[in-house]
């Protein structure tokens, strides 16, 4: 298992949770213009789906920073 995959697995619960919260709050803001509010269960499902690609991108950034720090040490 590569370093990026391990970091992604460790950070996925946080990324999925953040994506779910952001989806729910975005639906609350969009309700001001007449769109329906997303139910919390749908927000969680959307967070689970969107959490993986977002966490994958973030873990790639973290691994790059770790490699940069190791090369400078």
């Amino acid at each position: 298992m590569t370093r990026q995959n391990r970091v992604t697995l460790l950070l996925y619960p946080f990324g999925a949770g953040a994506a779910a919260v952001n989806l729910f709050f975005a639906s609350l803001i969009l309700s001001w213009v007449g769109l329906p509010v997303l139910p919390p269960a749908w927000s969680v499902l959307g967070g689970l789906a969107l959490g993986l690609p977002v966490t994958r991108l973030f873990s790639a950034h973290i691994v790059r920073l770790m490699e940069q720090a190791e090369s400078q040490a």
Side-chain angles (χ1 to χ4, degrees), residues 8-10 16 21 29 38 47-48 51 57 61 63 65 67:
T8 300
L9 285 176
L10 288 172
V21 168
I29 290 171
L38 199 61
L48 291 173
L57 289 171
H61 173 66
V63 168
L65 291 175
E67 290 171 351

Side-chain angles (χ1 to χ4, degrees), residues 24-57:
F24 183 71
F25 283 130
S27 74
L28 286 177
I29 290 171
L30 291 173
S31 72
W32 297 346
V33 294
L35 294 175
V37 174
L38 199 61
W42 288 17
S43 298
V44 170
L45 290 175
L48 291 173
L50 291 175
L52 187 59
V54 171
T55 305
R56 185 86 175 146
L57 289 171

